[in-house]
Amino acid sequence: MRYTSHMIDEAEILDNLQRVLALNDRGDFTVPAPELYPHQWLWDSCFTAIGLRHINIDRAQVEILRMLGAQWSNGMVPNMIISDEHHNTRDAKFWRSWTNPAAPFEISTSGITQPPVLAEATVRIGELLSKPERRLWYKKVYPRLLKYHEWLHTERDPHQEGLTLQIHPWETGLDNTPPWMKELHEHQMPLWIQAVEKLKLAGIIKLFRRDTKRIPAEQRLDTIEALSLYSVQRRLRRKMYDINRILSHSHFAIEDLSFNCILIRNDQLLREIAKTIKEEIPDKLDVQMHKTIESLESLWDPYSNQYYSRNFVTHSLIKEPSIASLMPLYAGTISKERAKIIVKQLENEHAYGPNYPVPSVSVESPWFKELGYWQGSTWINTNWLIIDGLRRCGYEDHADALRESTIELVGNGDSYEYFSSLDGTPGGAENFSWTAALTIDLIKYNK
Ligand code: GLC
């Protein structure tokens, strides 16, 4: 039986959720889930810190500082720090971050980034500190945050057109989300993977996968998708994560809608941080930030009344709807009219409003699978971002309703990686950190 909101014993749930965070605590960072995810991930740590701030605010700060400690000398914050226990083992060699001179010497990291929610986590922690403590905290992180945002707006916007580009779907955090999968099939499917597909060898390759040993295969990426993501990663590694080499002769770079919406909001939060400590945002960055807000509107498709991601090279919109379509609410800069159109999608049970919203793709999409990994299942981090966006766009009632259904979903203390949007069945890894952390935050704070 699933719990309904009035039956939830909040104290008991909070206890269970805190236990998950304690289980995944490795001292100075939190793993997303035991075994399956043994390293530190960028946006996972930000979401974890947002929950941890209610339990142990010093520890929440440590989580963010460790992540920023892995910043490359060019400003990039990598999406993963390879854990010491795994140092020089398979995962470190898989990335070989040391091939790029900007990577730190003493630790191994990935060579790509993830959605920039660091300013969000910083401000959320700041909210619960006294004014003098907040200023100290902001002073500590601001120089690195600034450098990261400058890197995003410069290296990742080489033509200074306003939108940042991403070079791997892992950078969006929504690994196999349909718009990226569609582009991958069109532009970056190596012949050997096509052969594997034709010769039906995927079944044999599946035997070597780590994730499907623990989690039912139908809840993960299919093997062809997984192989394609690895093949894109190998190309980035061959190019030693050098953006000029990566972009030459490649059509596989996307100005991702969700990533850019998250950047817009976090730019705004960076401004807040700067203001609190009486720092000036450099002129160049100031102009770039404005331009990103304006350029978001070029992702609007007037025919289908939706925002989409865009191919960086051809500039064509990738008209494949996904949860990214709702993220302009989190950006918070769109017109009232467009916000209203997006909210309608959330109200529609055949689109993004089934029993346990918000599905990672619309229920009516041909990609929709009830427990599909980023292809139908409901995730707590995207819900949290949408709740926050709804509030700032003036949709308090919608935000409250989504907050309640999200708490209800996790309500029995099952801190799973994702859930069926139709009936709430849990899926993916157990004891998943951001599910626990963000539910703590929704219960304690986000009212
Ligand atoms: C998967 C998710 C990504 C997350 C990572 C660690 O790759 O798609 O968003 O950061 O796992 O939890």
Side-chain angles (χ1 to χ4, degrees):
M1 186 184 76
R2 292 214 67 78
Y3 286 57
T4 56
S5 50
H6 59 273
M7 292 163 67
I8 291 176
D9 175 348
E10 274 189 6
E12 199 184 321
I13 297 170
L14 284 170
D15 244 30
N16 287 339
L17 298 173
Q18 285 193 32
R19 214 167 298 134
V20 172
L21 294 184
L23 174 77
N24 295 344
D25 189 352
R26 298 292 175 270
D28 54 0
F29 74 102
T30 309
V31 294
E35 292 171 24
L36 191 59
Y37 302 111
H39 310 293
Q40 183 175 12
W41 265 264
L42 171 53
W43 79 335
D44 297 67
S45 272
C46 294
F47 293 129
T48 297
I50 289 171
L52 262 180
R53 71 186 170 137
H54 301 288
I55 302 164
N56 180 346
I57 200 153
D58 294 339
R59 179 62 189 77
Q61 289 172 299
V62 168
E63 188 81 22
I64 298 303
L65 290 174
R66 185 175 192 270
M67 203 62 241
L68 285 172
Q71 184 165 40
W72 287 26
S73 64
N74 59 4
M76 182 182 81
V77 181
N79 82 326
M80 284 169 77
I81 304 177
I82 310 299
S83 127
D84 278 347
E85 290 165 32
H86 295 256
H87 194 68
N88 279 335
T89 60
R90 203 163 98 169
D91 294 343
K93 285 193 195 130
F94 175 76
W95 282 103
R96 278 182 228 145
S97 53
W98 52 83
T99 58
N100 186 304
F105 294 128
E106 55 301 340
I107 45 173
S108 299
T109 72
S110 69
I112 58 172
T113 191
Q114 231 181 4
V117 274
L118 278 161
E120 177 78 78
T122 301
V123 169
R124 294 290 172 159
I125 290 170
E127 276 171 354
L128 300 190
L129 293 169
S130 68
K131 265 192 185 167
E133 282 171 342
R134 184 182 313 146
R135 272 198 289 272
L136 279 179
W137 165 236
Y138 285 178
K139 279 192 175 147
K140 214 182 251 177
V141 290
Y142 178 71
R144 286 186 231 171
L145 277 186
L146 176 66
K147 207 169 164 198
Y148 179 40
H149 282 241
E150 287 180 325
W151 174 82
L152 284 165
H153 283 284
T154 305
E155 171 147 336
R156 290 312 186 85
D157 184 6
H159 306 150
Q160 289 297 287
E161 293 169 316
L163 295 168
T164 63
L165 64 89
Q166 286 65 55
I167 51 178
H168 195 293
W170 287 335
E171 292 202 308
T172 73
L174 316 172
D175 304 8
N176 58 334
T177 188
W180 280 83
M181 288 301 111
K182 188 173 171 220
E183 287 291 289
L184 195 65
H185 271 271
E186 278 169 24
H187 297 296
Q188 192 86 32
M189 195 59 103
L191 288 173
W192 70 269
I193 297 186
Q194 292 177 31
V196 169
E197 203 169 9
K198 275 211 187 87
L199 299 171
K200 301 199 184 337
L201 298 175
I204 298 172
I205 292 171
K206 199 173 95 188
L207 299 175
F208 298 96
R209 283 178 63 177
R210 272 193 276 182
D211 59 344
T212 48
K213 285 200 178 74
R214 298 192 173 88
I215 293 163
E218 66 278 9
Q219 291 181 22
R220 305 308 280 182
L221 290 82
D222 74 36
T223 297
I224 295 296
E225 284 176 346
L227 286 177
S228 326
L229 297 194
Y230 285 126
S231 136
V232 178
Q233 190 276 341
R234 265 202 308 276
R235 178 171 181 276
L236 302 180
R237 189 175 73 196
R238 272 200 311 276
K239 309 276 175 191
M240 297 185 282
Y241 311 108
D242 174 331
I243 196 71
N244 295 320
R245 297 181 62 198
I246 290 168
L247 292 180
S248 72
H249 309 300
S250 172
H251 272 231
F252 196 59
I254 292 176
E255 291 157 335
D256 183 76
L257 172 59
S258 178
F259 192 107
N260 279 283
C261 288
I262 290 174
L263 176 60
I264 287 174
R265 173 64 183 151
N266 279 264
D267 278 346
Q268 204 178 334
L269 293 165
L270 185 70
R271 285 185 191 280
E272 259 181 63
I273 296 171
K275 199 167 157 209
T276 309
I277 55 172
K278 300 192 170 43
E279 287 280 351
E280 290 280 329
I281 296 284
D283 289 347
K284 182 177 171 205
L285 182 62
D286 182 54
V287 172
Q288 289 171 319
M289 285 173 166
H290 282 299
K291 200 156 183 191
T292 306
I293 296 174
E294 270 166 41
S295 305
L296 176 64
E297 300 312 318
S298 61
L299 301 182
W300 177 259
D301 173 42
Y303 305 104
S304 57
N305 269 335
Q306 289 195 50
Y307 289 93
Y308 294 110
S309 296
R310 185 168 79 178
N311 182 304
F312 166 72
V313 180
T314 63
H315 264 200
S316 45
L317 293 180
I318 306 164
K319 295 195 186 176
E320 195 58 70
S322 72
I323 190 142
S325 320
L326 306 182
M327 287 303 168
L329 293 171
Y330 177 71
T333 52
I334 56 172
S335 69
K336 283 207 162 92
E337 257 180 325
R338 289 187 178 172
K340 196 168 168 193
I341 296 172
I342 296 178
V343 170
K344 281 244 149 58
Q345 295 266 333
L346 201 52
E347 289 168 347
N348 178 354
E349 61 180 307
H350 303 296
Y352 292 95
N355 283 343
Y356 292 95
V358 180
S360 34
V361 305
S362 158
V363 175
E364 62 198 350
S365 158
W367 293 82
F368 179 84
K369 286 181 235 124
E370 197 180 336
L371 277 170
Y373 194 70
W374 295 116
Q375 292 181 2
S377 52
T378 290
W379 293 67
I380 305 307
N381 64 332
T382 39
N383 276 17
W384 189 93
L385 295 170
I386 292 168
I387 292 168
D388 186 64
L390 283 167
R391 283 202 202 293
R392 279 181 291 105
C393 291
Y395 289 89
E396 281 289 336
D397 291 350
H398 290 73
D400 287 344
L402 185 54
R403 171 183 174 269
E404 246 184 60
S405 67
T406 307
I407 296 173
E408 191 182 324
L409 200 54
V410 189
N412 52 6
D414 287 342
S415 190
Y416 276 84
E417 197 175 2
Y418 42 86
F419 300 85
S420 152
S421 54
L422 303 183
D423 66 5
T425 304
E430 284 177 272
N431 297 315
F432 195 66
S433 293
W434 82 42
T435 301
L438 294 177
T439 309
I440 291 174
D441 188 63
L442 290 177
I443 291 175
K444 287 226 178 204
Y445 184 76
N446 201 320
K447 294 191 184 174

